[in-house]
Amino acid sequence: MKRTNERVTMMHGAGGTVMHDLIKNHIVKYFKSIGNAEVPLLAMDDAAAIGDIVLKSDSHAVKPIFFPGGNIGHIAISGTVNDIAALGAEPYALACGVILEEGFELSDFDKILESMQKMCVKANVGIVTGDTKVIEKGSLGGCVMNVSGIGRRTEATENNLKVVRKFQENFKPRWLLDSNLKEGNKIILSGTVGEHGVAILSAQQGIKFGSKIESDVKPLNLLIQKALGEVGGIVTIKDPTRGGLADCLNEFSEKSKVGVLIQEEKIPIREDVKAACEMLGLDPLEIGNEGKIVIGVVKKKADQLLDLLKHTEEGKNAAIIGEVTEEFKGVAMKTIIGGKRIIARPVGDPVPRIC
């Protein structure tokens, strides 16, 4: 075996092409043929399915631990819950592993645990087991944690698939996979993008903006189950975390082997987030989010689903931002002035240690 001197960099954990290459070329190749999962590691979706059970494990090393709008505990619960829900399952049990650095203040640890408790109540799921380790001072930066969870199919999941099959011929998947999109499906974004990444960068760099920009971090599993059960027609869901909306849509395109055309004027972005990104030279479409979902839905259910989302707190700023096409591959955006530009998969999220 040829050996190189290539080493891990921060980009390997930042979403985008570098992280995806790390997973495909170094992780998947060792485990792709092990186990008997319906949605296996090889699929590279955000969770796995074994029979009617969904399994997810998510690690968190956000910096700083406390940031505007939340802390590592908020992300740890929400990130795991949202990835389980995005596959079409309802989470019902979590496990938490915590690594603490010697000297970490117990009062801060209590704040994190309290926020995790609140997120669990909001998501209607509990932590039932876990593990704690302590390492030497100066080795960690305070606290990192992993939250794993299991979810199960629900009646809402089944009702959704019945609606999909009514409008989309030969639809066979039992889960909401990145590879499910077909020509004519509409793309819905559940709310404004960019707040989480900008909030983290503000805390990391001590940058003050004209208005208070806070993280959007929140669990969305109950919203997803509501959408599946009351409207249906949803073929795929993904939360645009590391790498943002651009990375999410490119994953859809690559795995479904279709093109995605979005409308710049339809993408909801707060004006203060736009201004912050312009000042910092960042693209808000490439910045991670922790409280938004991107939904692929059959055309005839798109307006009804949008109406449902807009009548919820989590989805009040939702918008239909584009559609799936077979005219090209990849992701393109029709700009406000009428032209089109390619939305490439980012190399990585421009904000380090975002989750």
Side-chain angles (χ1 to χ4, degrees):
M1 180 183 293
K2 183 178 179 181
R3 295 185 178 276
T4 70
N5 293 323
E6 185 180 3
R7 298 178 185 271
V8 173
T9 72
M10 291 300 293
M11 294 303 293
H12 284 102
T17 57
V18 176
M19 189 185 80
H20 287 283
D21 287 345
L22 174 72
I23 295 170
K24 286 190 288 188
N25 299 331
H26 294 272
I27 298 174
V28 171
K29 75 173 184 178
Y30 290 105
F31 301 106
K32 64 183 179 182
S33 61
I34 299 175
N36 190 29
E38 182 179 346
V39 181
L41 178 64
L42 184 61
M44 289 184 64
D45 274 271
D46 288 337
I50 306 96
D52 285 346
I53 299 297
V54 167
L55 174 66
K56 171 64 182 178
S57 183
D58 211 354
S59 298
H60 301 277
V62 63
K63 180 181 180 181
I65 294 170
F66 295 91
F67 50 83
N71 61 56
I72 191 172
H74 289 87
I75 292 181
I77 300 299
S78 299
T80 301
V81 161
N82 291 346
D83 282 346
I84 291 172
L87 209 63
E90 177 64 1
Y92 70 95
L94 303 176
C96 180
V98 181
I99 304 176
L100 300 170
E101 183 179 350
E102 180 186 20
F104 190 65
E105 292 188 13
L106 285 175
S107 60
D108 284 342
F109 190 38
D110 280 336
K111 291 176 185 176
I112 293 168
L113 295 173
E114 182 180 8
S115 69
M116 294 174 76
Q117 179 193 44
K118 290 179 179 178
M119 291 297 100
C120 284
V121 170
K122 190 170 184 178
N124 193 30
V125 64
I127 294 174
V128 297
T129 189
D131 181 60
T132 306
K133 295 290 189 296
V134 177
I135 63 174
E136 298 83 1
K137 188 177 181 65
S139 304
L140 186 66
C143 169
V144 298
M145 64 174 60
N146 173 279
V147 171
S148 299
I150 51 176
R152 54 192 163 195
R153 293 177 73 81
T154 66
E155 185 178 348
T157 308
E158 300 297 342
N159 289 341
N160 173 73
L161 292 176
K162 288 177 183 177
V163 177
V164 173
R165 290 172 184 140
K166 179 180 177 181
F167 295 107
Q168 191 156 302
E169 294 181 0
N170 301 317
F171 185 87
K172 295 180 181 180
R174 296 197 322 130
W175 299 102
L176 308 183
L177 309 177
D178 295 347
S179 56
N180 286 354
L181 288 171
K182 298 295 182 184
E183 184 176 26
N185 290 161
K186 294 293 186 179
I187 303 296
I188 296 179
L189 176 59
S190 70
T192 53
V193 294
E195 292 103 307
H196 178 70
V198 172
I200 294 293
L201 190 61
S202 171
Q204 288 176 350
Q205 304 297 328
I207 302 172
K208 301 296 183 182
F209 300 108
S211 61
K212 189 175 183 180
I213 300 174
E214 294 186 338
S215 170
D216 60 345
V217 59
K218 63 177 70 71
L220 298 170
N221 57 306
L222 299 183
L223 174 68
I224 290 171
Q225 283 290 304
K226 182 180 178 71
L228 293 175
E230 296 185 16
V231 178
I234 296 170
V235 299
T236 189
I237 300 176
K238 197 173 189 68
D239 54 340
T241 53
R242 287 170 293 178
L245 181 62
D247 189 66
C248 173
L249 294 176
N250 273 279
E251 279 208 72
F252 282 165
S253 172
E254 179 183 318
K255 293 177 184 178
S256 295
K257 297 179 172 56
V258 295
V260 178
L261 178 64
I262 58 174
Q263 309 288 328
E264 183 178 19
E265 63 181 7
K266 300 293 185 181
I267 299 172
I269 309 174
R270 284 172 36 171
E271 289 301 322
D272 53 355
V273 171
K274 281 184 183 179
C277 288
E278 288 175 2
M279 183 180 78
L280 298 168
L282 302 176
D283 184 345
L285 302 189
E286 296 184 359
I287 295 177
N289 313 271
E290 290 292 341
K292 304 299 187 308
I293 47 174
V294 184
I295 305 170
V297 60
V298 297
K299 183 177 181 179
K300 290 190 176 181
K301 283 292 181 177
D303 289 336
Q304 187 180 349
L305 178 59
L306 180 64
D307 183 66
L308 179 144
L309 292 172
K310 282 186 167 295
H311 282 85
T312 67
E313 180 61 29
E314 300 90 344
K316 61 185 178 182
N317 295 311
I320 298 172
I321 64 168
E323 63 182 31
V324 178
T325 178
E326 290 187 351
E327 293 182 3
F328 58 86
K329 296 294 189 292
V331 182
M333 182 169 70
K334 187 174 181 180
T335 65
I336 293 175
I337 61 174
K340 290 181 182 177
R341 73 176 179 93
I342 299 298
I343 304 297
R345 167 172 269 170
V347 175
D349 197 297
V351 184
R353 300 277 295 271
I354 199 170
C355 60

